[in-house]
Structure formats: C-alpha cells, structure tokens
Amino acid sequence: MANSILVIAEYRGDNVKRITFEMLQAGRQLATALGGSVVAAALGSGGLAGLAGPLGQAGAEEVILAESPDLADYAVESYTDALQQVIDAANPSVVILAASPRGRDLSPRIAARLGVALASDVTAIEASGSQIVVTRPVFSGNAIASVALETTPTIVTLRAGSYPPAQAEAGRAAKVTRLPINIEYAPGARAVEFKEVKSERPDVTEASIVVAGGRGMGAPEHFDKIEELADLLGAAVGASRAVVDAGWRPYGEQVGQTGKTISPKLYIACGISGAIQHLVGMKTSKYIVAINKDPEAPIFKVADYGIVGDVFTVLPLLTAEVKKAKTQG
Amino acid sequence: MNIIVLVKSVPDPAAKVGVRDNKIVEDGLAWEANPYDENAVEEAIRLKEKYGGKVTLITLGPKRAEETLKKMLALGADEGILVSDPAFEGSDELATARILAAAIEKAGGYDVIWAGWTGVDWNQGIVAQAVAEYLGVPHVSFVTKFEVNGQTARCETEVEGGREIIEVDLPAVLTAMQTLNEVRYASLKNIMAVKRKTIPTWGAADLGINPAEVGKGAAHHHLMKLIPPPERAAGRVLKGAPEETVQELVRALREEVKVL
Ligand SMILES: Cc1cc2nc3c(=O)[nH]c(=O)nc-3n(C[C@H](O)[C@H](O)[C@H](O)COP(=O)(O)OP(=O)(O)OC[C@H]3O[C@@H](n4cnc5c(N)ncnc54)[C@H](O)[C@@H]3O)c2cc1C
Ligand SMILES: Nc1ncnc2c1ncn2[C@@H]1O[C@H](COP(=O)(O)O)[C@@H](O)[C@H]1O
C-alpha cells in the first residue's frame, strides 16, 4: 500500500501494550499528513487473532498476523527474517517499532539488511512534504536533533510517552491478513530462559506516575515510604543511579542516561539531586514534583512543584494527605 | 581467544555539551571513550585473562580519537587500530558498520566482538548490530552477564519485565550494559607501555572500501537542525510549613495534574 505506515505491535499474551497505542497514534498522524493508512503487524508463534480487535479499534486499518512456530521464543535473526517478510508484504513508507529492548535489538539488524535509514528513540515523527523528519534528544539530552530520513522505507523506534495512546472506537475494525512466516535456518542467538522480575507494580516505562528515590532516602529499607506512596497512586518505583549502584534498588528501576528514559504524566523525585544524567531520563515528564532538603538542588530547576524539606517529614505527610484525598474521592 | 572491541570516541559524557549553529560546541570539549565501550573493553580483558588470547581495539574516527584508543589500551588490551580517512567523514551508522566490518576482517580471526549498547553522543545504538549483520554472525544486545561454554556463550540480558538468558553461537557480536562489570583503572605499567605502542591507521584503500559508498554523500539521513533542549518553565517552590506545602501539593495534584 503506498504511503502505508507499518506499526510493529508489542504485546504480552492477549494484551496490547500501551506503547503500541502510542505508536498507532504517531502512525495515524503521519498517515493523515501523507495521505496513507496505518497497518499494524504482530509477530509470534500463533494465537495472535485476539490482538486484531484492539489494534483495529485504535485505528489500524489492516492488521497483519505474522505467525510461525519458529517465532515462539525470541531470536533476533528469526524475527529479522519475519519482519523482512512483513515489510515485503506491507510495502510501507515508514516502519515504527517501540524503542524497547526488543525494538532496539531488532531495528538495526533489519535496517542493515535492507540498507535503509534508521532513527532510534525518537520523540516525534513528522512529514515535511514527502520527507520524513524525526526529533531525537541527543548528547545526553543536551541537544535536540531534527533529522531527515532519506530512504523508503525508513525505520524509527519510538520512545515511550512521546504520543498519547490512540483511543479505541468501538465501531472500527481492521482487515485481518494472516501471513505465514517461513524461517529457513536455525538462529545463532536463542532465548533459553526468562527470569521474570516479579513486581506487583508497573514498570517505569509503562506507568503514568513514577515515584522515584535517590541517595537522600538514606538507606534501602526507607524505600518502603516510596513504595507506599507509589502503591497508593498506582505508580511505578524509580531510582537514581546512586542507589542502584549501591545495590539498594534493582537496575530495572534506574532512570537516566544509563537507565530508562521515560515521560510519565507525573514524576515525583524524592531525595534526588537532579544530576544532568538523571534529568535526561525524566525531564520530558508532564509534571515533576521534587522533594529535597537542599534548596539549591538542580532538580528544583525542572520541578513544577518543589518542596524544600526532609523526605522523612514530607513523605509521610504526603502519603497521609493522598490517602485522605483518595478516600474523599 | 581473539577478542575485538569497538570503541567510539565521544564528548566527555560528564560535560555539559553546548550547541551553536546546528553543531555542538567543540572548543574545550574533552573526548573520551563511550562509557559502555569501557565496559566492553573490561569484559574483553577479563576473557583474555581467563582463556588467553588477544584483545584488539578498533576505533573509527579522526586522528584525535587515537588518544581515546590509547587510554583504553592502557586498561590492558594488546593492539589498537585507528580506522581513519577523510572519505569516512560524515558516514552514517550503516556505513560506519560496513567500514568497521571490513576492519574486523582485516584484523584477522575473531571469536567475540564487544561493543557498547549505544553511543552517548547520538544515542543510535545501531553500529554493533549492523556489524553483526554484515559479518553474517549472530548478536546479543544489552548484555549484563557473560559466560563462555566452548563454542557457545550464555548471556544474561536486560529486557522489559526481567532478564532474558540468551545462548549464542560464537563468533558473535555482543553489546555491553553499564552493569556488565566494574571497569578497572589503568596501571602505571600499562600507561607507560602504551606510550611506546604504534597504532596503525587504516584508510579506505587499506580496507578495499569504495569512498563513494561511505561518508556524508552516502548517508541515509541528514541533520537538519540541532538546538538546545527547551527549558522547562520555571517551577514553583511551595512555601510554608511542611503540612502546608503538602496540602498545597495535593491540591495541585488534584486540580492541575488531575491524578487524584
Ligand atoms: C556516564 C554517566 C552516566 C550516568 N547515568 C545515570 C543515570 O542513568 N541515572 C542517574 O540517576 N544517574 C546517572 N549518573 C550519575 C549522576 O551523575 C548522579 O551521580 C546521580 O544521579 C546522583 O544520584 P542521587 O541524586 O540519588 O544522589 P546525590 O547526588 O547524592 O543526591 C542526593 C540528594 O538527596 C538530598 N537529600 C539528602 N538527604 C535528604 C533528606 N533527608 N531529605 C530530602 N533530601 C535529602 C540531597 O540534598 C541531594 O540533593 C551517571 C553519571 C555518569 C558519569
Ligand atoms: N566510529 C566508531 N568506531 C568504533 N566503534 C564504534 C563507532 N561507532 C559506533 N561504534 C560501536 O558501536 C556502539 C554503538 O554505537 P552507535 O550505533 O553509534 O550508537 C558503540 O558503543 C561502539 O562500541
């Protein structure tokens, strides 16, 4: 389809992940500008039919279910082959993947194979005439680049939180195309085990609220105060590198240059100084709250609401007030 | 074991990089190894210490990148190769990967190729996986633990929701995360030894690269604009006793942020 925008869905089981709806939103805006349509594709070993409904309701005009028993476990070479076959079938002008570990693992391999432009971790995708122009934070957030992509197709990976998720409309449905995938060789890199890090809480990249703690929390056991507030708000727990390096919190929670880059609706930083490498990971949050006892802490420069004070005084008060607000509805 | 490490020279990651006329301000800027490439070098040296063999560092960049290469050599690597040619300037990631793949082939055999998971300069994270595609070998990204078992290796990788264990046939390309290891300091002995080392420079002709297929002219994307990030509007420090500031915050969370 000429000018089609191909969105590679991320899902877990029967659930379409939030980032997929954000990609669909970006795709729909682009399709409107280019006069094209949005095609979503899900890759996997089978049982993908349940994804077509939500993808269609969120605005995908066609859903390609790319299935093969060889896609049961993730293997980047098999998935590259599968993606190549999907791209051949959809003939898109732009391919959008998530800037997730998977997306960033797979996208360079397919771009190299096809010899096409790839922009990683973009925060906006626009059309300028028929040209695709993306926005990317670079140099650790010290600069923002606008980059023109000059091949067809072009590939981008989209940073979580850059677009609002496309809303479902009950009346909409996509045309469903089944694409049997043929993988011709055994992959050299094979996933053999998945160690789930069990958490009752959402991941920092998925949550719309993140409550994060830094060295100012004083000790690992004091993170129970962070967790309590997070649970009250349905939020994820985030951490600065200082506390991850100290072994207080798992690496998966680290926000910043060497951790996750996120744009939640609300980021609450507790006892975090706001070093540039931390800010690059959360500066694009819609609202930022900072609690820090040092009025000169750089985090206050980016905070919409700052409280200068001791976390051990402020956090319990805040948790109590939030509780009160919640019960009053 | 023959181990190759791809090292990129980037602006000092701890520095505040300025922007002017759609370029970064280079005056007074120090250039260092990409931080994750340091983890890659460290892991390579540990492999050599365990299994014997040779660690070769390869950098594509201008002449000044030689300094970065020497700093990394001083951690305990054996050879450094500077890949440099005016024709390479402005190469995009895929062209960079083609040139590096050619340099890796020329450097002789390899069992393991290490790189960083992304460059903190342009944050693309493309070159290493593209090198793997061009060499026709598998790759594993975001490695946090690495163990060789004969002809394969077991990699622990960081993915959403947990850690994935990936078994990979060697030779392979691997990309290092910060949590892979703790990077050592260079010993004085190594620093002295590096001073006497000659670093060969390989250009397009040495690598059999057609200059027309690399460099700025062959790039698939071009930079239209480079600007400083927008400043966030100045925030508000809530005034008063702790109880008052918290009440004011909760009011804002309800009425302005609308999360309560
Ligand atoms: C290449 C590189 C990459 C990096 N990547 C990252 C990254 O991804 N993420 C990241 O976070 N950092 C990263 N860093 C580290 C970063 O530079 C900082 O060192 C780190 O963010 C500091 O963490 P922190 O704010 O928790 O600790 P600190 O800087 O020590 O700040 C602690 C803060 O807590 C406040 N405080 C102390 N006690 C209290 C109290 N009782 N109540 C209230 N406030 C209190 C203090 O005033 C202070 O502001 C990186 C650094 C480099 C060089
Ligand atoms: N010019 C280069 N010379 C050597 N290695 C490089 C170069 N560019 C990228 N790499 C390697 O590829 C990784 C990813 O870089 P990038 O794709 O530029 O973000 C880096 O961490 C390096 O290991």
Side-chain angles (χ1 to χ4, degrees):
Chain A
M1 222 181 293
N3 280 338
S4 76
I5 313 298
L6 176 64
V7 169
I8 306 304
E10 294 228 344
Y11 62 90
R12 182 189 284 240
D14 281 337
N15 290 324
V16 177
K17 288 195 180 177
R18 179 188 168 97
I19 179 68
T20 303
F21 295 116
E22 295 173 4
M23 291 191 282
L24 284 172
Q25 180 68 25
R28 285 172 56 187
Q29 289 182 12
L30 200 55
T32 306
L34 292 170
S37 66
V38 178
V39 179
L43 283 61
S45 61
L48 303 176
L51 303 172
L55 292 172
Q57 287 186 352
E61 277 131 283
E62 182 183 352
V63 174
I64 297 177
L65 303 177
E67 295 175 321
S68 161
D70 297 324
L71 297 176
D73 294 317
Y74 179 71
V76 66
E77 293 144 283
S78 314
Y79 269 73
T80 305
D81 278 3
L83 185 52
Q84 188 175 7
Q85 292 172 42
V86 172
I87 291 174
D88 279 347
N91 188 26
S93 53
V94 181
V95 183
I96 307 177
L97 293 99
S100 61
R102 286 268 159 93
R104 292 196 70 170
D105 183 45
L106 186 57
S107 54
R109 192 111 199 176
I110 188 75
R113 179 159 312 170
L114 301 176
V116 300
L118 165 60
S120 304
D121 208 15
V122 309
T123 55
I125 317 167
E126 278 145 330
S128 163
S130 63
Q131 197 168 44
I132 305 300
V133 177
V134 296
T135 304
R136 313 183 48 239
V138 294
F139 292 95
S140 307
N142 283 309
I144 306 289
S146 300
V147 181
L149 308 180
E150 282 154 1
T151 62
T152 307
T154 60
I155 304 179
V156 304
T157 60
L158 181 70
R159 177 180 290 193
S162 304
Y163 285 81
Q167 293 302 315
E169 276 176 34
R172 274 197 304 232
K175 172 183 157 217
V176 178
T177 309
R178 285 188 184 268
L179 184 71
I181 296 292
N182 198 1
I183 309 284
E184 295 194 337
Y185 59 89
R190 310 163 287 274
V192 291
E193 193 187 332
F194 182 67
K195 293 188 184 169
E196 192 172 351
V197 177
K198 273 251 182 281
S199 172
E200 309 295 300
R201 298 184 189 88
D203 189 77
V204 282
T205 54
E206 295 247 313
S208 60
I209 306 179
V210 175
V211 184
R215 187 151 34 203
M217 293 307 298
E221 58 271 21
H222 297 152
F223 272 76
D224 60 353
K225 296 180 181 61
I226 300 269
E227 290 172 350
E228 190 185 354
L229 180 60
D231 291 346
L232 209 52
L233 294 167
V237 171
S240 73
R241 174 162 168 185
V243 301
V244 172
D245 279 354
W248 296 2
R249 299 303 297 181
Y251 175 69
E253 291 179 0
Q254 184 178 318
V255 173
Q257 183 182 311
T258 40
K260 305 253 166 69
T261 302
I262 55 173
S263 296
K265 181 163 186 204
L266 172 64
Y267 188 87
I268 304 181
C270 309
I272 293 178
S273 60
I276 177 149
Q277 297 88 359
H278 186 80
L279 296 184
V280 53
M282 42 63 76
K283 213 166 57 172
T284 53
S285 306
K286 187 127 193 274
Y287 290 96
I288 296 172
V289 172
I291 304 169
N292 194 304
K293 68 178 181 190
D294 173 10
E296 303 298 325
I299 190 78
F300 287 121
K301 290 216 177 69
V302 301
D304 300 279
Y305 309 104
I307 295 184
V308 178
D310 193 314
V311 284
F312 298 106
T313 316
V314 177
L315 259 182
L317 286 171
L318 179 57
T319 304
E321 278 297 316
V322 169
K323 234 181 233 161
K324 220 159 63 185
K326 285 247 161 190
T327 48
Q328 285 165 2
Chain B
M1 187 178 288
N2 270 327
I3 309 154
I4 306 245
V5 189
L6 302 177
V7 176
K8 186 177 198 180
S9 181
V10 299
D12 177 3
K16 173 134 182 65
V17 177
V19 179
R20 196 187 307 134
D21 302 332
N22 291 316
K23 287 196 199 74
I24 63 163
V25 179
E26 295 202 3
D27 318 335
L29 198 59
W31 294 78
E32 306 277 354
N34 187 41
Y36 316 111
D37 301 3
E38 295 191 18
N39 297 104
V41 174
E42 173 66 37
E43 198 65 18
I45 295 170
R46 288 184 190 191
L47 282 175
K48 180 183 106 167
E49 286 167 350
K50 197 158 169 192
Y51 299 103
K54 191 171 117 183
V55 176
T56 305
L57 312 183
I58 304 182
T59 294
L60 166 61
K63 181 77 184 154
R64 65 162 150 67
E66 196 175 299
E67 281 315 302
T68 307
L69 202 51
K70 284 188 169 167
K71 271 193 205 160
M72 289 296 105
L73 270 171
L75 296 181
D78 301 286
E79 306 288 338
I81 298 161
L82 180 67
V83 178
S84 199
D85 193 308
F88 297 161
E89 272 170 40
S91 289
D92 66 9
E93 294 79 14
L94 295 188
T96 299
R98 281 215 183 275
I99 300 163
L100 288 171
I104 291 167
E105 302 272 24
K106 184 177 160 76
Y110 52 85
D111 300 296
V112 175
I113 299 167
W114 274 103
W117 79 266
T118 194
V120 298
D121 49 0
W122 295 98
N123 182 29
Q124 284 279 53
I126 296 175
V127 168
Q129 294 84 350
V131 164
E133 176 71 18
Y134 294 144
L135 292 175
V137 301
H139 79 257
V140 182
S141 308
F142 316 118
V143 177
T144 54
K145 258 188 209 157
F146 186 72
E147 211 178 275
V148 175
N149 302 314
Q151 287 310 299
T152 64
R154 193 179 154 86
C155 311
E156 196 165 297
T157 69
E158 185 80 34
V159 297
E160 267 163 57
R163 283 187 294 274
E164 194 153 62
I165 313 297
I166 294 183
E167 186 185 72
V168 61
D169 299 336
L170 301 180
V173 173
L174 307 147
T175 75
M177 296 283 278
Q178 160 217 322
T179 47
L180 176 64
N181 53 37
E182 187 115 14
V183 181
R184 71 191 65 194
Y185 290 96
S187 70
L188 198 58
K189 179 169 150 268
N190 280 343
I191 294 173
M192 299 313 287
V194 166
K195 292 207 166 122
R196 292 188 301 270
K197 267 224 150 76
T198 47
I199 298 203
T201 302
W202 294 349
D206 303 303
L207 298 174
I209 299 268
N210 175 0
E213 288 171 6
V214 296
K216 198 164 193 264
H220 293 328
H221 53 75
H222 82 259
L223 183 66
M224 298 178 69
K225 211 165 67 181
L226 191 70
I227 54 168
E231 290 295 325
R232 278 186 80 93
R236 197 147 64 87
V237 171
L238 309 175
K239 298 265 185 277
E243 290 77 9
E244 291 162 348
T245 59
V246 164
Q247 273 162 14
E248 173 58 14
L249 175 59
V250 169
R251 187 203 57 76
L253 292 182
R254 189 183 323 109
E255 290 168 18
E256 290 162 30
V257 187
K258 300 195 168 69
V259 290
L260 288 176

